[in-house]
Amino acid sequence: MERNAANAPTTAVLVVATRLPLVEKLAEAWASWDEHFLDARTWVVLQVDPSRIAAARVVELLQLRAGACRLPQPLAADGYALHTTPRGNHVLLLVKPIALPPIFNSLDDAAAFRTPHYCHKTHTGEYLVGTKWWVWAMARLTALDYFDYFLKVDADVVFNKRLVPSPAEAMALTGAVFAHTSRLSEADGEAACAGTLDNATTAYLRAAGCAAVDPKQYDGGMYYYSNLIGGWNGLFRSPQMRSYAQFWWNWDGGWLHRWSDQQFWAHALYVTNATRIGRVRHDGVVVGGDVISLEHHRQHREFVHTGG
């Protein structure tokens, strides 16, 4: 996949909702997204599960209107519907069952599931289904065929001003494949959420013929805080990345130990040899690398994660 010019990258902002309260949270932040975040090249791709949420309710909560343009046939065939926001920005709404592992027959099964290993008292298997969607299900979304970059943004993120340059522009300018806005360490409690993660990545690499594997190279106890992160679809939809994502998603330990997507990104970048660190300075100057930090946007409260 070739990149668009740095001044015109396209971005899919990916949101998934396993239950109605998540859409209601998004509705509370929606005016800020519409004013300060979305534009002609930055669209929302929203998937909701029909067993829990009706399309009409999503349209009502987000004040959407039917889009005037006809979608490409692959998108229409997959069930996407085009809508516009009050300010004329675009939303691709997909009402389709969310992928479940074999241990669950339904989202209700997932909601009733948790083990003693879970690192957060209130989280259940449904939380994992939702957050792991950004790993394996995301990589197979038909909509991403039409975008250069993806962003994962939590529904309870509020934007106070437009991010300049945009995350996609920052990645395009430097050639980065991943952008983050904060990091966590094992000291922040993330170690408890990562049981058997090293084992999984080691097993994957050894199966791929990498005999000498040092877990310290890819697991320094650091995780990317993922309420606003993004990446280049050329990498994250590549065969190598899809292979690791599928392996990671299916690893039993991930469902028993409450992995979320935060346990994925650093390991995925190591597996695909995309680990050079760069950053975007507060004055907008890009310092190159595979991974760039956009933490200044969070530090300057240009966006706020209201959930924590």
Side-chain angles (χ1 to χ4, degrees):
M1 178 186 292
E2 295 184 0
R3 300 177 191 237
N4 273 8
N7 63 348
T10 55
T11 304
V13 182
L14 303 175
V15 183
V16 65
T18 57
R19 58 177 56 221
L20 187 60
L22 291 171
V23 183
E24 293 171 340
K25 280 186 179 180
L26 179 60
E28 293 174 5
W30 192 238
S32 77
W33 289 41
D34 207 10
E35 180 178 2
H36 299 302
F37 186 42
L38 305 180
D39 58 35
R41 297 193 304 271
T42 305
W43 293 26
V44 168
V45 177
L46 169 61
Q47 182 175 347
V48 300
D49 194 290
S51 70
R52 295 279 187 78
I53 306 168
R57 185 63 175 138
V58 178
V59 169
E60 177 188 4
L61 284 169
L62 302 184
Q63 303 176 54
L64 301 178
R65 301 184 299 271
C69 300
R70 179 180 298 176
L71 286 176
Q73 191 278 333
L75 290 179
D78 207 25
Y80 288 90
L82 177 64
H83 296 274
T84 59
T85 69
R87 288 179 175 265
N89 293 306
H90 293 90
V91 176
L92 288 172
L93 177 60
L94 179 63
V95 181
K96 189 174 185 178
I98 293 167
L100 298 169
I103 59 174
F104 303 139
N105 293 316
S106 67
L107 283 174
D108 289 341
D109 284 351
F113 181 86
R114 62 173 286 114
T115 77
H117 303 295
Y118 278 24
C119 57
H120 288 268
K121 294 180 180 179
T122 61
H123 289 171
T124 68
E126 183 181 337
Y127 176 86
L128 274 64
V129 168
T131 56
K132 285 185 165 198
W133 177 90
W134 276 283
V135 174
W136 175 226
M138 178 202 81
R140 296 174 292 146
L141 285 178
T142 306
L144 289 188
D145 291 343
Y146 299 86
F147 296 91
D148 301 305
Y149 296 88
F150 77 89
L151 290 177
K152 180 213 168 178
V153 183
D154 280 4
D156 51 2
V157 166
V158 172
F159 292 90
N160 295 320
K161 64 180 295 187
R162 193 163 289 276
L163 311 185
V164 179
S166 73
E169 289 167 343
M171 285 186 276
L173 284 166
T174 188
V177 297
F178 185 78
H180 71 90
T181 56
S182 188
R183 290 172 289 186
L184 297 169
S185 70
E186 291 188 350
D188 299 311
E190 285 299 295
C193 304
T196 75
L197 179 60
D198 282 351
N199 296 1
T201 299
T202 298
Y204 177 84
L205 290 170
R206 286 179 174 161
C210 303
V213 178
D214 178 7
K216 292 180 181 179
Q217 292 185 36
Y218 57 81
D219 185 17
M222 184 276 297
Y223 305 91
Y224 292 110
Y225 192 26
S226 62
N227 51 49
L228 200 163
I229 56 93
W232 177 48
N233 287 329
L235 174 67
F236 283 90
R237 290 168 62 77
S238 67
Q240 184 179 9
M241 185 65 81
R242 289 192 191 200
S243 171
Y244 177 67
Q246 183 177 21
F247 181 92
W248 183 97
W249 193 86
N250 282 309
W251 183 264
D252 287 344
W255 298 99
L256 297 176
H257 289 272
R258 206 237 66 152
W259 295 0
S260 73
D261 62 291
Q262 285 183 173
Q263 277 64 54
F264 175 74
W265 307 110
H267 282 234
L269 291 166
Y270 175 77
V271 165
T272 54
N273 198 30
T275 56
R276 294 179 302 119
I277 303 299
R279 62 191 177 93
V280 177
R281 297 192 332 212
H282 64 86
D283 57 2
V285 175
V286 178
V287 181
D290 297 314
V291 180
I292 56 172
S293 168
L294 305 178
E295 293 180 73
H296 61 283
H297 294 307
R298 185 188 297 273
Q299 293 164 354
H300 296 162
R301 296 185 65 82
E302 295 171 14
F303 75 90
V304 177
H305 180 221
T306 61

